[in-house]
Structures are given as structure tokens and as C-alpha cells.
Amino acid sequence: MRLLRTLGTALVLIILCASLVLTLVAGPLRFMALNPAFLKTFVPSKTYCEEMRARVSEDLDHVAILYGLESGALNDVVSDESIKTYTSALIDAMFAQETTDSLNLPAYPTDGFAAYLKAHSSYSDKAIEDFSQDCAAAVTEDLSAIDASLLVSNFTRFRDSMFVNLLPILFGAGLALTVLMCAIMKLLYAGTSKRAGSVLMWGGCFMGITLVLVPVSQFLLFDYVGRLNITPSAFRTILTGLLYTSLYGWLIVLLALFVLVTLFLALAIVRAARKKK
């Protein structure tokens, strides 16, 4: 009987770890990395907007110089709010069902550039219109830099794949299996050994979370996203913004669960040790 319980414990621990890994991979992938609402909220951070403004300003300077303006004169025309708004539109376009090979994005508004040149020069209406269109085109090109047919088509194929469609089911199955394995572990050690069962249950949860937490934390610790061999550009800013947002959101969830489970495991160990003493 004792041998059977030992073998059963080992099997339950293996399944518990596997179910937790499945839950902690499928959940964040579906509800963070592939969730447009999450990405729209956290991608356009202060750092992201500052980097994007720097990229946009470089291209706007070329247009400004052509029209006799000083370098950096248009820096304040493109605001952080406009970058956030356009980034949200970009993410919506990425997840739109009609998107296949290219993103259907609006042109950046020209009003701000036209108003600036009108207030700081005596150019004709035609020149102001040309200037504002040139500026808007430069900004649109930067803010939609990720709109490359190869990248968009591969993303849409992945977004519509059977694996992604099954992610909610995998998450639910993994969560249900985790709860079931915890209940079975409790049953295996019901009665006088229930405190040992609690230690094993929380220990299995600890191991399952660690199996996901360690590689994710190492990936971020060694900054593999920052090492992407891509020239500093608007494209790189958007791509790394999407990747960093997904990974850091994943890491926060894992750390919260890790701290919680570690606390319960420590309490279970203390209780078991007192009982034994």
C-alpha cells in the first residue's frame, strides 16, 4: 500500500507540473500576447512613445529643412497621445479578421503640420498643403513600420491557426487538471498524513511554476529581445515594444504566483515540521 501511494504521488506530481506548465503557457499567450486590449493598454508606454518620437523627429527634420524650418521645429507637433492613438489603430488592424497580407491603417492627420507652418511662415496654401502631406506621410510610414507583407502574413496565419484557436481550451483543461491533481494529492494523504499531502501539493505547484518562470526570467535577464539584429528604427521600436509587453506581463503573472505558492509551501512545511516534532 505504501509503495502504491509512493508511485501514485510521483505520477500525480508529474501530471501536476505538466498541467501547470500548460496553463501558464496557454493563458498568457492567449490573454496577453494575443489580446489586442492588453497590448493597446501597455505597449504605448512612456519609453515607447519617447523612442517613437525620436524616430519620427528624424524623418520630420528632413521635411522641415526642405521648407526652411530649423531642425527639431516639428518635434512637439506629434504628441504622445497621437502616438498612442495610432498604435492602438495599428494593433486593431493586426488582429482584424480582414487583415491578410497588409494592414489597413488610416493616414496620419495633416492638420497639426498645416497649422504650424501657417503660423510660422508666409507660404501659400498650396505649399502648406504639400508640406502637411509630406509630414503626415513621413509620420505614417514610421508609426506603421511593422506593416511588412511577410511579417503580417505570417502573423495572420499564426493568429488564425488551430493552435491559437485551441489556446482557451488548453488553458481551461490545464487549469482543471491542476485542480484535479491537487484534490487527488489531498486524497492520497487524507487522514493522519494530510499535512505531508499539503507539502507535496504545494511543492508540485512550486515546481510547475518554476519550470516556466526560470526560462522566461532568463530570456529577459539576458535581454534576448534587445539583442535582435535589427537596425535602430521605428520598425524595431514597434516590434520590441510588442515583445517586451508580452514577456513582462507574463513574468509579472509568474512572479505573483511564485510568491503566493512559495508562501503556502513554507506554511505547509512549518505545520508539517511542528506535527512531526
Side-chain angles (χ1 to χ4, degrees):
M1 186 67 182
R2 193 170 183 178
L3 177 61
L4 289 176
R5 189 168 71 173
T6 301
L7 293 175
T9 299
L11 180 61
V12 170
L13 283 174
I14 292 172
I15 298 175
L16 178 58
C17 289
S19 63
L20 264 174
V21 170
L22 177 63
T23 303
L24 295 175
V25 171
L29 184 58
R30 174 61 185 87
F31 300 112
M32 290 183 181
L34 295 174
N35 182 0
F38 175 82
L39 295 176
K40 287 191 294 183
T41 302
F42 295 104
V43 167
S45 61
K46 183 178 180 181
T47 302
Y48 174 91
C49 291
E50 288 177 353
E51 289 186 13
M52 189 58 72
R53 280 167 62 88
R55 305 303 173 200
V56 168
S57 296
E58 291 176 4
D59 291 332
L60 285 179
D61 283 345
H62 296 299
V63 180
I65 292 171
L66 290 176
Y67 284 84
L69 300 176
E70 295 182 358
S71 178
L74 302 173
N75 288 354
D76 295 332
V77 178
V78 180
S79 64
D80 287 353
E81 287 303 317
S82 62
I83 292 177
K84 291 179 180 179
T85 301
Y86 205 92
T87 301
S88 295
L90 173 69
I91 294 171
D92 282 335
M94 289 174 59
F95 287 91
Q97 289 301 317
E98 59 272 16
T99 298
T100 55
D101 296 324
S102 62
L103 304 178
N104 184 18
L105 292 167
Y108 192 85
T110 60
D111 299 344
F113 302 110
Y116 181 89
L117 189 61
K118 194 171 185 178
H120 293 82
S121 71
S122 57
Y123 282 110
S124 65
D125 291 341
K126 176 60 177 173
I128 292 175
E129 181 182 357
D130 292 341
F131 168 79
S132 61
Q133 289 178 353
D134 290 342
C135 290
V139 176
T140 301
E141 184 178 356
D142 285 332
L143 296 182
S144 61
I146 204 171
D147 186 13
S149 62
L150 181 61
L151 182 63
V152 174
S153 61
N154 285 331
F155 175 77
T156 53
R157 278 196 292 269
F158 175 71
R159 181 199 66 196
D160 298 329
S161 65
M162 182 178 293
F163 171 71
V164 172
N165 291 330
L166 288 175
L167 282 176
I169 298 174
L170 294 175
F171 172 74
L175 186 60
L177 188 58
T178 299
V179 174
L180 178 62
M181 290 302 105
C182 289
I184 291 175
M185 184 67 77
K186 283 286 191 178
L187 289 174
L188 284 173
Y189 289 87
T192 57
S193 302
K194 63 180 181 180
R195 296 192 180 187
S198 294
V199 173
L200 290 169
M201 182 188 72
W202 291 115
C205 293
F206 178 88
M207 290 188 292
I209 294 171
T210 304
L211 287 174
V212 184
L213 175 62
V214 169
V216 172
S217 59
Q218 290 295 304
F219 195 90
L220 287 169
L221 181 64
F222 291 103
D223 196 21
Y224 287 110
V225 174
R227 294 182 183 184
L228 288 174
N229 190 21
I230 301 175
T231 304
S233 59
F235 174 83
R236 190 180 193 279
T237 299
I238 297 172
L239 183 60
T240 55
L242 292 169
L243 293 175
Y244 274 129
T245 299
S246 301
L247 287 171
Y248 276 114
W250 194 5
L251 180 65
I252 290 171
V253 170
L254 291 172
L255 285 174
L257 291 173
F258 178 80
V259 171
L260 185 64
V261 169
T262 301
L263 177 62
F264 281 115
L265 176 59
L267 292 174
I269 290 173
V270 170
R271 291 183 63 195
R274 285 179 178 175
K275 178 69 174 177
K276 187 175 180 180
K277 183 177 179 180

